[in-house]
């Protein structure tokens, strides 16, 4: 049967078309299903690294008396955050507790938004410390001895936490399970 149509015939899309065609510029606007999968390792690994950062000098957070904890107090909190009220030891402990327990929450995807916000603020303090202690180090085109700007890592952590603060943990999380059980919204 012969068709007479004014519509042009659509050719089958190839892999090369997907790589070089308009889909190269298409952005995911719905982070459901398969699109949420990259969020899981990002959230889990960020949380695990925060747990590690929050356990200076021991297994748990705020290991008072440990050389690593005391070094953090003496060389970071006192000189760069001495303007804060209360004891430098208290601020160092708060920092460790936020990173340790915030990291656990982020890893599990439990209370993700409050955990991400507290980690974002803590990483903001870390960015401030690095910029105050070493400056921009020639950023963006300077070459530094250790091949990494000192403020790079906390800046990336801050941006990751900002993303989880705005978007939540994603569908593969404890938060998602809790929300599905307490929400009165109809699923689409």
């Amino acid at each position: 049967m012969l068709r007479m149509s004014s519509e042009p015939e659509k050719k089958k899309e190839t892999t090369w078309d997907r790589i070089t065609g308009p889909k190269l510029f298409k952005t995911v606007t719905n982070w459901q299903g398969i699109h949420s999968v990259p969020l899981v390792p990002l959230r889990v690994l960020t949380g695990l690294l925060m747990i590690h950062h929050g356990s200076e000098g021991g297994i748990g957070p705020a290991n008072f008396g440990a050389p690593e904890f005391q070094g953090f107090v003496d060389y970071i909190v006192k000189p760069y955050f001495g303007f804060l009220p209360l004891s430098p030891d208290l601020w160092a402990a708060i920092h460790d507790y936020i990173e340790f327990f915030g990291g656990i929450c982020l890893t599990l995807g439990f209370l993700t938004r409050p955990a991400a916000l507290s980690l974002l603020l803590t990483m903001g303090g870390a960015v401030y410390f690095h910029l105050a202690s070493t400056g921009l180090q020639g950023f963006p085109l300077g070459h530094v001895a250790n091949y990494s700007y000192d403020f790079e890592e906390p800046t990336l952590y801050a941006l990751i936490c900002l993303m989880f603060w705005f978007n939540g943990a994603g569908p593969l999380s404890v938060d998602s399970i809790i929300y599905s059980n307490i929400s009165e919204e109809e699923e689409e």
Side-chain angles (χ1 to χ4, degrees):
M1 174 176 210
L2 226 130
R3 283 191 179 169
M4 299 299 256
S5 174
S6 61
E7 292 182 27
E9 186 178 319
K10 290 185 179 183
K11 70 176 193 168
K12 185 176 177 187
E13 184 180 58
T14 65
T15 302
W16 184 250
D17 294 332
R18 288 188 199 119
I19 294 170
T20 61
K23 285 193 176 178
L24 173 68
F25 303 100
K26 186 176 179 182
T27 301
V28 173
T29 56
N30 183 352
W31 286 90
Q32 298 297 319
I34 192 70
H35 299 293
S36 67
V37 172
L39 297 177
V40 176
L42 179 66
R43 189 189 76 233
V44 169
L45 290 174
T46 300
L48 290 174
L49 290 168
M50 284 293 110
I51 293 167
H52 168 74
H53 282 281
S55 58
E56 297 184 79
I59 294 175
N63 292 288
F64 292 97
E68 294 86 349
F69 182 81
Q70 199 55 48
F72 183 74
V73 171
D74 292 338
Y75 299 110
I76 295 174
V77 179
K78 285 181 182 177
Y80 294 97
F81 298 94
F83 60 87
L84 294 172
L86 306 175
S87 161
D89 286 2
L90 177 64
W91 285 110
I94 289 170
H95 159 270
D96 281 1
Y97 281 113
I98 288 173
E99 287 187 349
F100 188 82
F101 290 109
I104 291 171
C105 287
L106 199 62
T107 299
L108 298 174
F110 176 63
L111 297 173
T112 304
R113 284 192 164 106
L117 177 59
S118 60
L119 288 167
L120 171 64
L121 296 173
T122 302
M123 290 301 103
V127 171
Y128 160 74
F129 158 71
H130 287 293
L131 290 174
S133 65
T134 59
L136 288 173
Q137 300 173 294
F139 175 81
L141 302 175
H143 296 281
V144 292
N146 63 356
Y147 300 101
S148 174
Y149 300 112
D150 289 343
F151 63 89
E152 262 179 348
E153 181 182 333
T155 302
L156 289 172
Y157 281 132
L159 292 172
I160 291 168
C161 291
L162 179 67
M163 192 263 312
F164 283 111
W165 180 40
F166 279 135
N167 295 326
L172 301 174
S173 64
V174 174
D175 285 350
S176 178
I177 294 167
I178 292 170
Y179 182 76
S180 67
N181 287 320
I182 64 172
S183 173
E184 296 178 8
E185 290 182 12
E186 295 286 327
E187 286 193 28
E188 295 176 13

